[in-house]
């Protein structure tokens, strides 16, 4: 099971994620998010990381701006977490992760047709682009999500306590976790390590 740890704002947290064995770390470049990080700060963090893949998360940003930030930070992937069209994704300078919200805009056929390497399925919460820490109805969603022919990351309310269940329900490529790593709104190195221990236990 691959693990993407999202919402990194400090070098200590990103380094802890890499050392614990995360496959991807995510930086949020949507300015309305409480996990927003300035591109210049993300660049300084990214320079210190050795092998973990770096993902930039954008919500309906102009693709020129997405590509400029990707080049500045040295991103390996761009995650399009809004309502970006396929034409927009084709203009991305990096491989694309496309996020859908189950219960809002998720459709397996559309996900299969979208020009992305990885599909991410998050919870739908009205008025929020994502990162709400709310799980969706996994059992009812599993059959539809299984129709996606690309690697899938499951997001929304993933924690060390339920990541094993998520793996058993979806058999997905991986999971995306953010709020489940936080204490008082900030990434906890202890929770990062505990999460990866739980993943190793269920693998």
């Amino acid at each position: 099971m691959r693990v993407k740890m999202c919402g990194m704002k400090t070098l200590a947290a990103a380094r802890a994620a890499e050392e614990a064995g995360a496959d991807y770390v995510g930086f949020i470049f949507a300015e309305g998010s409480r996990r927003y990080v300035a591109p210049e700060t993300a660049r300084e963090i990214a320079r210190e990381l050795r092998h973990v893949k770096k993902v930039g998360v954008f919500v309906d940003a102009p693709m020129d701006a997405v590509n400029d930030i990707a080049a500045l930070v040295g991103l390996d992937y761009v995650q399009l977490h809004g309502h970006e069209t396929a034409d927009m994704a084709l203009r991305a300078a990096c491989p694309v992760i496309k996020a859908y919200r189950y219960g809002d805009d998720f459709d397996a056929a559309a996900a299969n047709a979208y020009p992305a390497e990885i599909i991410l399925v998050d919870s739908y919460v009205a008025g929020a682009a994502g990162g709400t820490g709310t799980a969706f109805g996994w059992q009812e969603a599993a059959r539809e999500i299984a129709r996606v022919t690309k690697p899938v990351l499951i997001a929304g309310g993933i924690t060390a306590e339920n990541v094993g269940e998520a793996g058993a329900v979806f058999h997905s490529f991986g999971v995306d976790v953010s709020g489940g790593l936080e204490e008082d709104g900030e990434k906890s190195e202890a929770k990062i390590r505990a999460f990866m221990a739980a993943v190793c236990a269920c693998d």
Side-chain angles (χ1 to χ4, degrees), residues 1 3 10 17 39 44 48 69 80 82 90 99 117 126 128 147 150 153 155 162 168 174 177 181-182 200:
M1 180 189 291
V3 174
T10 68
E44 295 306 312
E48 301 298 322
I69 292 173
L80 304 181
L90 288 170
E117 287 204 2
R147 294 176 51 223
K150 299 176 182 183
L153 292 170
N162 67 13
V177 57
L181 306 173
E182 292 174 355
C200 291

Side-chain angles (χ1 to χ4, degrees), residues 17 69-70 106 128 140 153 159 170 179-180:
I69 292 173
F106 177 72
E140 68 174 69
L153 292 170
T159 66
F170 292 106

Side-chain angles (χ1 to χ4, degrees), residues 123-146:
S123 303
Y124 171 60
V125 177
T132 61
T134 304
F136 54 93
W138 289 354
Q139 297 292 345
E140 68 174 69
R143 184 175 296 177
E144 174 74 3
I145 290 172

